[in-house]
Amino acid sequence: MNTTILDQTDLDILRLLQKDARLTNKELALKLHKGSSTMFERVSRLKDLGYITGSVTLIDRNKFDELWISFTQVQLNDHSGEALIAFQNEVIRFPEVLECYHTTGAFDFLLKIVVSDMAGYNKLIVEKLAKLKNVGSLQSCFVVNEAKRELAYPLKDRI
Amino acid sequence: MNTTILDQTDLDILRLLQKDARLTNKELALKLHKGSSTMFERVSRLKDLGYITGSVTLIDRNKFDELWISFTQVQLNDHSGEALIAFQNEVIRFPEVLECYHTTGAFDFLLKIVVSDMAGYNKLIVEKLAKLKNVGSLQSCFVVNEAKRELAYPLKDRI
DNA sequence: ACTGAAAATTCTCTGGC
DNA sequence: GCCAGAGAATTTTCAGT
């Protein structure tokens, strides 16, 4: 994967925007000592090249009684590539499944799941998840406290 | 937790902004059939009340060779409240630990960790994580493929 | 690649319904 | 709570280096 297209300024832009999507080009320009139309051009380029994929507003999950988070690990009975892809394609269609990672280790997938209550959790697991093909063992844990949630990936300087 | 402060329009705003932080007030107004200055007032209020906590730009992680993600579960030897809080306060200071959840189940914490290579992973686990007080067993898995990553929480309509 | 300036658009505030 | 309007600020385009 070629990443030499990005220079130091591009990386700085990505670092800053990962922390605050609403920084204006003028604010970026001030921090990076360039003109604001330069920032406009660079940010547009980063979008066009696919480095920037979108932006999201973050909300305080604790203000909503209906948001209970569970992490569920799934082990399939069939570990063939077809079975893994088939499961993946099905499970990501459930709106309760916010995140789905194919992982190394004893389990094949790690799912981040949101439910509004235990009834919703039970319904998802018993009626939807467990009914998918090849699903072997499941192991779930619920989030008691979210101590940290940093969405900005640390980017290495280009040498 | 009182959530009756929010009406349907507030929820719609939060739903839309969770999907795209860069929607203008004018665009929100069009979608929700209100004036753009009304949107400005409501969004400002949602920020002031703490419902909106920030916004982030998303980048394509696959374009960076240095971003390897691991999920690590940690079990402590001492399950007292003090020990849990002490561990939590230490572990969230590591920049490699992007997310830290206190969870139910056999393990006490689930960590989302980013490293640039196996040397970095080893260093974090052996030299930093395992040296924290009360750390018992660790169980890690690496992300092979990110099949879904939805950051917008589903919000229930107010009745 | 960057700059500066001009045009288009959005933000922010005020007054009034 | 909502809207319209207006001035300020920002985005976006573009010619020039």
Side-chain angles (χ1 to χ4, degrees):
Chain A
M1 205 119 334
N2 188 357
T3 54
T4 56
I5 318 174
L6 302 188
D7 64 10
Q8 199 58 37
T9 304
D10 290 320
L11 290 170
D12 289 335
I13 291 171
L14 292 177
R15 285 196 191 100
L16 289 164
L17 288 181
Q18 278 194 109
K19 295 283 185 181
D20 183 0
R22 307 224 47 165
L23 282 170
T24 65
N25 292 325
K26 198 186 177 189
E27 289 167 322
L28 285 174
L30 250 164
K31 287 175 193 284
L32 302 181
H33 311 103
K34 297 273 162 66
S36 60
S37 47
T38 302
M39 288 304 114
F40 175 74
E41 286 165 1
R42 281 184 175 263
V43 173
S44 301
R45 176 170 163 272
L46 290 169
K47 287 178 190 164
D48 291 342
L49 292 175
Y51 285 91
I52 291 174
T53 56
S55 64
V56 299
T57 293
L58 305 177
I59 67 172
D60 183 356
R61 187 169 62 79
N62 294 316
K63 288 198 154 49
F64 296 88
D65 294 332
E66 74 245 40
L67 301 177
W68 295 89
I69 306 296
S70 151
F71 283 96
T72 299
Q73 289 181 287
V74 183
Q75 190 178 23
L76 299 188
N77 293 322
D78 180 350
H79 298 279
S80 70
E82 293 78 20
L84 292 168
I85 290 174
F87 173 81
Q88 185 176 289
N89 287 340
E90 288 297 320
V91 83
I92 63 174
R93 296 172 56 198
F94 299 146
E96 297 95 336
V97 174
L98 297 185
E99 304 178 26
C100 171
Y101 304 98
H102 178 202
T103 60
T104 63
F107 291 93
D108 296 298
F109 290 95
L110 174 65
L111 309 177
K112 181 175 181 176
I113 288 169
V114 60
V115 290
S116 55
D117 50 33
M118 274 300 152
Y121 174 72
N122 192 53
K123 207 166 176 177
L124 173 69
I125 296 294
V126 176
E127 294 179 24
K128 296 167 90 173
L129 243 182
K131 284 195 177 165
L132 292 181
K133 264 211 149 210
N134 291 316
V135 170
S137 63
L138 292 172
Q139 190 172 293
S140 288
C141 62
F142 273 86
V143 171
V144 176
N145 180 44
E146 187 178 291
K148 183 176 184 179
R149 186 169 175 241
E150 171 62 63
L151 298 174
Y153 294 116
L155 302 179
K156 281 203 169 173
D157 285 332
R158 297 294 174 264
I159 327 148
Chain B
M1 207 117 336
N2 189 357
T3 55
T4 57
I5 318 174
L6 302 188
D7 65 10
Q8 199 57 40
T9 304
D10 290 320
L11 289 170
D12 289 336
I13 290 171
L14 292 177
R15 285 196 190 100
L16 289 165
L17 288 181
Q18 278 194 109
K19 295 282 185 182
D20 183 359
R22 307 224 45 164
L23 283 169
T24 66
N25 291 325
K26 198 186 176 188
E27 289 167 323
L28 285 175
L30 251 164
K31 286 175 193 286
L32 302 181
H33 310 103
K34 297 273 161 68
S36 60
S37 48
T38 303
M39 287 304 116
F40 174 74
E41 286 165 2
R42 280 182 176 264
V43 173
S44 302
R45 176 170 164 273
L46 290 168
K47 286 178 191 166
D48 291 341
L49 293 175
Y51 285 92
I52 290 175
T53 56
S55 65
V56 300
T57 294
L58 305 177
I59 66 172
D60 182 355
R61 187 169 62 77
N62 295 316
K63 288 196 154 51
F64 296 88
D65 294 332
E66 75 246 39
L67 300 177
W68 295 89
I69 306 295
S70 152
F71 283 96
T72 299
Q73 289 181 289
V74 182
Q75 190 179 25
L76 298 188
N77 293 321
D78 180 351
H79 299 279
S80 70
E82 293 78 20
L84 292 167
I85 290 173
F87 173 81
Q88 185 176 289
N89 287 341
E90 289 296 320
V91 84
I92 64 175
R93 296 172 57 198
F94 299 146
E96 297 95 337
V97 174
L98 297 184
E99 303 178 26
C100 171
Y101 303 100
H102 179 201
T103 60
T104 62
F107 290 93
D108 296 299
F109 290 94
L110 173 65
L111 310 177
K112 181 176 181 176
I113 287 169
V114 60
V115 290
S116 54
D117 50 34
M118 273 302 152
Y121 175 72
N122 192 53
K123 207 166 175 176
L124 173 70
I125 297 293
V126 176
E127 294 179 24
K128 295 167 90 172
L129 243 182
K131 285 195 176 166
L132 292 180
K133 266 212 149 207
N134 290 317
V135 170
S137 61
L138 291 172
Q139 189 172 294
S140 288
C141 61
F142 274 86
V143 171
V144 176
N145 180 45
E146 188 176 290
K148 182 176 184 178
R149 184 167 176 243
E150 171 62 64
L151 298 174
Y153 294 115
L155 302 179
K156 283 203 168 172
D157 285 334
R158 298 294 175 262
I159 330 146

